[in-house]
Amino acid sequence: MTRGVNEAVPFELQLLLWGILEKRQERGEQLDYLQVFELSAEWVDEEPVQKILNRQEQPFHQEVFYVNHIENLAIGVTVWGIDSGEYATMLLPEEYCYD
């Protein structure tokens, strides 16, 4: 995790993002090297619920997850998960350096 993710995304939610990727691998899905997580909130039964949209380009995949009982919601945050094959990291798009 980068400093930006640590500051913008509560730790329990960081663990959930990694868990989503692990579950997708367990289901035998092909994961793109770039995973995009869009974090927002929705109201369900008058309670705020964390919404996580996970998407990738190749092969196309888009899935929405709803998580109850998150103490500190992350709203309006996009997190990139990049897997180089040797290591994986999560960062905010604005932290990515184009060299």
Side-chain angles (χ1 to χ4, degrees):
M1 295 287 174
T2 61
R3 180 180 299 167
V5 172
N6 277 327
E7 292 174 0
V9 181
F11 183 70
E12 69 176 318
L13 192 49
Q14 293 174 28
L15 292 177
L16 284 169
L17 299 181
W18 288 115
I20 287 169
L21 296 179
E22 287 176 13
K23 286 194 188 310
R24 290 187 54 213
Q25 286 177 324
E26 289 171 3
R27 292 190 304 218
E29 295 180 24
Q30 181 182 351
L31 299 180
D32 194 356
Y33 77 98
L34 175 63
Q35 297 294 314
V36 178
F37 295 96
E38 296 175 5
L39 308 176
S40 60
E42 287 191 11
W43 288 85
V44 177
D45 296 328
E46 299 183 25
E47 293 289 326
V49 175
Q50 181 72 61
K51 178 181 176 183
I52 303 169
L53 170 64
N54 172 225
R55 61 185 170 85
Q56 69 180 38
E57 291 185 5
Q58 292 297 324
F60 178 79
H61 177 84
Q62 185 168 301
E63 190 170 0
V64 176
F65 301 88
Y66 294 94
V67 185
N68 296 320
H69 311 296
I70 296 289
E71 197 167 310
N72 297 308
L73 299 177
I75 300 172
V77 178
T78 298
V79 175
W80 287 355
I82 299 178
D83 187 349
S84 71
E86 281 186 48
Y87 61 91
T89 189
M90 288 195 182
L91 65 151
L92 301 178
E94 57 268 23
E95 294 178 300
Y96 187 77
C97 297
Y98 299 94
D99 285 338

